[in-house]
Amino acid sequence: MTSTTRLDDGDLAQLRDRGIGIDEVQRQLLCFQRPPNWVELVRPCTVGDGVVVLDERDLDRLVGLHAEAAAAGRITKFVPASGAASRMFRDLHRFLLLEPRERPDWDAVGRAAAGGDRGAAALRRFVEELPEFAFHPDLAEAVAARGLELERLRAGGEWAPILDALLGDGGLGYGERPKGLIPFHAYPGGERRTAFEEHLVEAAAYARDARGVCRLHFTVSPEHLEGFATLLREAGSRWVERLGAKFDVEYSVQKASTDTVAVDLENRPFRGERGRLLFRPGGHGALIENLDELEGDVVCIKNIDNVQPDRAKPAVVRWKRALCGLLLRLQDEGRTLLRRLADERDAAAVDDAGAFVRAALSIEPPRRLASAPAAERRRWLADRLDRPLRVCGVVRNTGEPGGGPFWVRGRDGAVTLQIVETSQVDPESEAQRRILASSTHFNPVDLVCGLRDARGEGYDLHRFVDPDAYLVAEKSAAGRKLKALERPGLWNGAMAGWNTVLVEVPLATFSPVKTILDLLRPEHRRG
């Protein structure tokens, strides 16, 4: 705590209930008082300068390496799936919140859309193309349960009852449902699949072992855990029969101990009802705890909303296998070099390891190391090699919101590959903003991670988090402004100390659903 902060017995009881130590709260409160710790961008990662391009021969060889590891049961799929779909429906929900007398009729919605109102345009297109959505039959049933007919409402532009059945109380409740449990894709014959089911089908193609077992782990919100478990029970047998796969699915929730304390605008602990401290979720970076406890070997990470229908899966699967194969090859080469570095009689090991670190892992050692004694260089190289490894698929930048790959200079002077979010870059630095704007690639969250060391033991992932890569954002609660602390992002600061390899993957492997209208993109339409 700061010298002016006092905690009473009630505060301490709150900390005990959440499993948060006093020292951790002290650290968090100090973070609010420090100036932002911006990353130092050196240059964007581009093809030939940080981004690897694989040719067809590379792909075939790497896919072969994947097969052996998959058969041995080394591969697990990890899917962050706790997010609710509220953001998907934000533009539509805005209209539902209007008082009945303030709700525009269909013609007024059209005029607003023509005038550039994004929300009105979204509402117009949603209603007009409603039959294209996979959840259309469910919505028709929800409307019918209220004594109405969906097609008649749609034809007449009566949007309010439609949105109420979709998002309101007593209807489908999609605004509060997790993305993973919303039907994304429709198939011939009437089959419909949620994003959760598409992840199961995809995993069966690259995470299945020799016994047919596919291991998956989903991070979910506690209130949605039963919904995922129920869907797996109902749909799992169907997929076992059709795919010849057995799904070993585990779930975890974001730990209360990873929540962060909020402060007021004077950096004093924010107090809500009955003077209690206010804690907020620490962001997706908190999931490094879940990933650490998974104790996985080769772990494929992909967001819940980035799924493809069957016609697009072959490319996705081939590239995922190739990324796994590349990780396995680099692991083997790195572990061989580690054994050589441990043998001080192997004089060539230092030069060979240095060449590998530069060429394969794209790490530029600190300048001071060039003139350091061989023993110091040996220790530095061994430390750099004995770390978790991630191979990240990146796509050409098409303007999607999110982070991208950059060369970043760390506090030790080493320049490494990092995934950087816009919010991590100093907005007052024109030079840094120019580098940010020159990015050529985007992070679609398509990661393959090696979490075990040469002895087969899991790394302590906490050791490789950059604790200073936190973010402070202004929020509000009960009409009062506050400042909230976000932990280092999962693929940003939480993995800052990992070894990173970037591989360009086809744009066809990236089909995110951030808004409901994304489901109308060609890659998600039925066909």
Side-chain angles (χ1 to χ4, degrees):
M1 245 61 52
T2 64
S3 59
T4 57
T5 302
R6 297 179 63 86
L7 295 184
D8 59 27
D9 290 342
D11 299 334
L12 297 176
Q14 277 188 265
L15 297 182
R16 285 194 298 271
D17 289 344
R18 290 178 172 272
I20 301 175
I22 295 177
D23 289 345
E24 171 60 14
V25 173
Q26 178 183 23
R27 185 193 69 82
Q28 292 177 17
L29 290 171
L30 288 174
C31 288
F32 288 108
Q33 300 179 35
R34 296 170 182 156
N37 187 47
W38 309 116
V39 297
E40 183 185 346
L41 302 180
V42 177
R43 61 188 184 276
C45 296
T46 58
V47 170
D49 186 28
V51 177
V52 176
V53 175
L54 302 175
D55 61 26
E56 287 298 317
R57 287 178 299 178
D58 291 327
L59 284 171
D60 290 339
R61 285 194 293 266
L62 295 173
V63 166
L65 292 176
H66 156 272
E68 183 178 348
R74 295 182 60 189
I75 297 176
T76 301
K77 185 174 186 179
F78 183 90
V79 183
S82 58
S86 53
R87 291 185 181 180
M88 279 180 64
F89 297 99
R90 180 182 297 167
D91 287 337
L92 303 183
H93 199 255
R94 173 192 124 194
F95 286 88
L96 196 60
L97 293 176
L98 295 173
E99 293 293 333
R101 65 179 181 278
E102 297 175 344
R103 292 175 175 175
D105 61 25
W106 193 236
D107 289 338
V109 172
R111 289 192 297 272
D117 186 318
R118 189 185 74 173
L123 175 58
R124 189 90 183 183
R125 191 177 180 203
F126 174 76
V127 173
E128 289 173 347
E129 301 196 46
L130 197 49
E132 294 297 315
F133 292 99
F135 53 77
H136 177 263
D138 297 328
L139 183 57
E141 287 186 14
V143 169
R146 301 180 177 202
L148 302 170
E149 184 181 339
L150 181 57
E151 284 309 298
R152 183 172 295 178
L153 293 173
R154 193 173 73 86
E158 297 182 55
W159 56 266
I162 296 175
L163 294 193
D164 191 51
L166 182 75
L167 304 173
D169 295 336
L172 296 179
Y174 276 7
E176 299 302 320
R177 188 180 293 195
K179 280 186 181 181
L181 300 184
I182 291 179
F184 270 25
H185 299 142
Y187 290 87
E191 180 186 357
R192 296 174 295 140
R193 292 185 203 161
T194 61
F196 175 70
E197 291 172 282
E198 293 289 22
H199 275 287
L200 298 179
V201 176
E202 182 186 302
Y206 62 75
R208 181 188 338 210
D209 69 15
R211 298 180 296 114
V213 176
C214 304
R215 295 168 182 81
L216 300 96
H217 188 102
F218 292 82
T219 63
V220 301
S221 298
E223 64 271 24
H224 297 142
L225 180 58
E226 183 55 35
F228 281 96
T230 298
L231 180 56
L232 181 64
R233 287 195 298 270
E234 294 174 348
S237 59
R238 180 172 76 249
W239 295 121
V240 168
E241 181 178 344
R242 288 175 58 177
L243 302 172
K246 294 169 282 188
F247 294 103
D248 179 1
V249 179
E250 295 181 346
Y251 309 93
S252 64
V253 300
Q254 192 164 311
K255 298 178 179 298
S257 59
T258 65
D259 291 349
T260 57
V261 66
V263 299
D264 61 23
L265 300 187
E266 301 299 322
N267 295 325
R268 299 170 300 201
F270 186 98
R271 297 186 179 276
E273 294 182 3
R274 300 187 301 278
R276 291 169 61 85
L277 297 172
L278 177 67
F279 290 89
R280 297 175 58 88
H284 60 69
L287 297 183
I288 200 70
E289 296 280 346
N290 306 63
L291 192 61
D292 187 69
E293 292 188 356
L294 179 63
E295 297 182 349
D297 184 358
V298 177
V299 178
C300 302
I301 301 180
K302 191 177 182 184
N303 277 339
I304 187 67
D305 64 4
N306 181 20
V307 289
Q308 293 75 24
D310 285 352
R311 66 178 181 276
K313 283 191 177 70
V316 173
V317 169
R318 188 180 188 215
W319 278 93
K320 186 66 77 176
R321 290 171 175 169
L323 296 182
C324 286
L326 180 57
L327 178 130
L328 292 163
R329 189 180 75 188
L330 293 171
Q331 273 188 335
D332 286 346
E333 293 175 2
R335 289 168 179 174
T336 297
L337 288 166
L338 270 172
R339 288 193 294 271
R340 291 181 57 193
L341 287 169
D343 182 359
E344 295 185 359
R345 296 169 299 176
D346 189 342
V350 172
D351 289 338
D352 291 346
F356 177 80
V357 162
R358 290 183 177 87
L361 303 182
S362 300
I363 297 172
E364 298 177 9
R367 297 184 183 93
R368 61 172 176 77
L369 210 63
S371 58
E376 182 179 344
R377 286 190 289 152
R378 190 181 291 267
R379 285 193 299 272
W380 189 90
L381 288 165
D383 176 71
R384 283 305 317 187
L385 288 173
D386 193 13
R387 297 180 180 218
L389 172 65
R390 58 176 175 167
V391 174
C392 308
V394 293
V395 297
R396 290 281 180 172
N397 200 333
T398 59
E400 294 283 353
F406 292 86
W407 293 91
V408 173
R409 191 180 306 281
R411 285 182 294 278
D412 65 351
V415 177
T416 60
L417 303 180
Q418 300 289 340
I419 303 296
V420 177
E421 301 283 345
T422 301
S423 55
Q424 295 178 270
V425 180
D426 185 356
E428 303 299 323
S429 171
E430 184 177 342
Q432 289 286 287
R433 303 300 289 188
R434 277 200 305 269
I435 297 174
L436 181 68
S438 64
S439 172
T440 61
H441 288 76
F442 172 80
N443 167 41
V445 189
D446 186 4
L447 287 69
V448 178
C449 304
L451 305 186
R452 294 184 184 173
D453 63 18
R455 299 173 296 279
E457 298 175 359
Y459 285 106
D460 177 3
L461 301 185
H462 305 93
R463 290 179 49 219
F464 306 97
V465 175
D466 178 0
D468 291 330
Y470 59 84
L471 297 173
V472 174
E474 190 169 299
K475 305 286 184 179
S476 64
R480 297 161 53 198
K481 291 183 177 181
L482 59 83
K483 291 196 288 187
L485 186 72
E486 287 194 14
R487 293 182 177 276
L490 182 58
W491 38 84
N492 311 120
M495 296 182 176
W498 294 34
N499 289 327
T500 299
V501 175
L502 305 171
V503 177
E504 184 176 276
V505 298
L507 192 57
T509 64
F510 180 50
S511 306
V513 178
K514 302 305 180 186
T515 75
I516 185 59
L517 296 186
D518 285 337
L519 288 173
L520 296 177
R521 292 183 175 186
E523 56 265 36
H524 290 292
R525 286 183 182 264
R526 68 187 74 214

